[in-house]
Amino acid sequence: MKKETNIDKELERFDQRLEEMGIRFKDANQFKVREDVFDDVTLLALYKLVHKKWLSVIGGSISTGKEANVFYGEREGAGIAIKIYRIRTANFTTMSSYITGDPRFSHVKKSKKELIFAWTRKEFSNLVRARNAGIAVPEPMVWDRNILIMSFIGEGERPYPQLRNADLNDPSKTYGWILHAIDVLYKKAELVHADLSEFNILYGDQLYFIDMGQSVTRDHPRALPFLMRDIKNINRFFKNRCDIRTDVEIFNDITGRNEAEQ
Ligand SMILES: Nc1ncnc2c1ncn2[C@@H]1O[C@H](COP(=O)(O)OP(=O)(O)OP(=O)(O)O)[C@@H](O)[C@H]1O
Ligand SMILES: [Mg+2]
């Protein structure tokens, strides 16, 4: 009981603190966002991160996705992105299929919360792996429960546009870069992005892959179909923009397999 009371008090203080920190809710339905995103678990995790000085300002909402909300934030004056997986509304059936095949996370208990925390940790470690292989991705800084903090990819408080909204001055070059990044991700980081599309690539001073929570290791049973899907998505986007290679040709090149054209 005593512990609960302390947490309640702490949350009350945190609420005040959020106000002091100038948290702004730019979403139309701010009360819903607050309820869906900032439940007690999340507030406590945020509070800890603030306390450990991982962030000093929580700014406006950048995105409300299927499973997560992304906010702009600041740490020591530098921009950060705060990605918060929603414990209430996340889609667990899909999530668990990505986690179960991954040996790194095979021990994860299947409760809803556990799964979300594992997912957050998985995105963090995928970003580390990708970055270590030299792929341009946001720099992962810290995670706690359902919150991931990473470097902010953008200018001021505005994220760079997603590839689908970018003005491509040399589509062929961009296409080549993306294929190369998929190849390095597979060969060096031994990962398949598994949700690659014009939505999850930011286009600014250079290209960045983002959103790697669902990325899987090469030994995941569905790694190859995921890789093929990524390739198809990229080819679909570029087919009216520049000359493209066939799906199978790219797939064989990356995997060293010899699948026949269909
Ligand atoms: N590190 C970052 N820097 C700047 N903006 C970011 C960063 N990470 C995410 N964003 C912004 O938030 C948007 C959504 O991010 P992301 O794709 O990671 O989540 P999501 O698609 O909502 O995830 P999910 O579909 O799993 O819920 C991006 O398109 C981008 O505009
Ligand atoms: Mg996304």
Side-chain angles (χ1 to χ4, degrees):
M1 273 322 278
K2 188 160 181 286
K3 210 174 160 207
E4 265 182 34
T5 320
N6 278 344
I7 288 177
D8 282 349
K9 275 208 183 118
E10 207 158 358
L11 285 174
E12 222 171 85
R13 274 203 301 274
F14 180 73
D15 242 18
Q16 249 174 7
R17 188 86 179 269
L18 276 184
E19 267 179 45
E20 284 163 22
M21 289 191 302
I23 188 164
R24 306 190 298 267
F25 293 96
K26 285 184 178 165
D27 296 68
N29 193 346
Q30 53 175 274
F31 292 108
K32 182 148 174 50
V33 168
R34 193 183 167 80
E35 271 202 355
D36 281 350
V37 184
F38 295 97
D39 52 37
D40 289 357
V41 170
T42 308
L43 279 176
L44 206 58
L46 255 186
Y47 180 80
K48 280 182 141 184
L49 289 167
V50 171
H51 193 71
K52 289 183 188 154
K53 304 211 186 311
W54 280 105
L55 70 145
S56 47
V57 174
I58 305 169
S61 161
I62 297 171
S63 149
T64 304
K66 288 187 305 295
E67 281 114 21
N69 290 52
V70 179
F71 296 86
Y72 173 81
E74 279 175 17
R75 184 192 186 213
E76 291 167 356
I80 52 174
I82 308 165
K83 186 168 183 177
I84 305 181
Y85 283 98
R86 288 188 302 275
I87 293 175
R88 295 214 175 123
T89 54
N91 180 351
F92 302 97
T93 340
T94 327
M95 277 183 165
S96 71
S97 74
Y98 285 81
I99 293 261
T100 36
D102 190 324
R104 294 173 298 168
F105 298 88
S106 53
H107 60 281
V108 170
K109 281 187 270 157
K110 299 278 156 40
S111 92
K112 208 174 171 187
K113 246 189 255 171
E114 289 288 317
L115 200 59
I116 301 275
F117 298 168
W119 190 262
T120 311
R121 189 156 56 88
K122 184 163 173 271
E123 173 150 32
F124 184 90
S125 73
N126 286 339
L127 289 172
V128 170
R129 271 173 92 134
R131 210 179 149 79
N132 287 344
I135 314 266
V137 296
E139 178 192 354
M141 296 160 81
V142 69
W143 59 272
D144 190 323
R145 284 158 243 223
N146 56 329
I147 302 176
L148 167 65
I149 296 187
M150 56 192 145
S151 63
F152 187 77
I153 306 296
E155 239 182 328
E157 298 191 20
R158 273 177 50 159
Y160 287 139
Q162 296 171 349
L163 180 62
R164 69 189 172 112
N165 295 323
D167 272 333
L168 304 184
N169 49 30
D170 189 350
S172 187
K173 195 170 157 202
T174 306
Y175 177 63
W177 184 93
I178 292 170
L179 293 192
H180 178 68
I182 298 175
D183 186 67
V184 175
L185 196 63
Y186 187 82
K187 289 188 180 136
K188 213 166 160 196
E190 304 197 350
L191 283 178
V192 174
H193 185 289
D195 190 20
L196 199 63
S197 75
E198 62 275 27
F199 287 79
N200 285 332
I201 299 174
L202 300 187
Y203 185 93
D205 55 337
Q206 55 171 321
L207 289 138
Y208 296 85
F209 282 3
I210 59 162
D211 201 359
M212 298 192 69
Q214 71 297 315
S215 303
V216 298
T217 43
R218 253 167 33 176
D219 49 13
H220 187 283
R222 295 184 62 201
L224 291 179
F226 287 151
L227 175 64
M228 186 53 118
R229 191 175 66 190
D230 285 354
I231 294 168
K232 281 184 194 283
N233 283 342
I234 296 304
N235 270 349
R236 179 193 32 76
F237 181 76
F238 280 96
K239 73 169 187 275
N240 296 323
R241 292 178 167 82
C242 64
D243 287 339
I244 57 165
R245 298 166 64 201
T246 69
D247 303 336
V248 171
E249 194 191 343
I250 299 167
F251 179 88
N252 286 346
D253 229 29
I254 293 175
T255 58
R257 289 177 163 247
N258 198 9
E259 309 285 328
E261 301 272 350
Q262 304 202 344

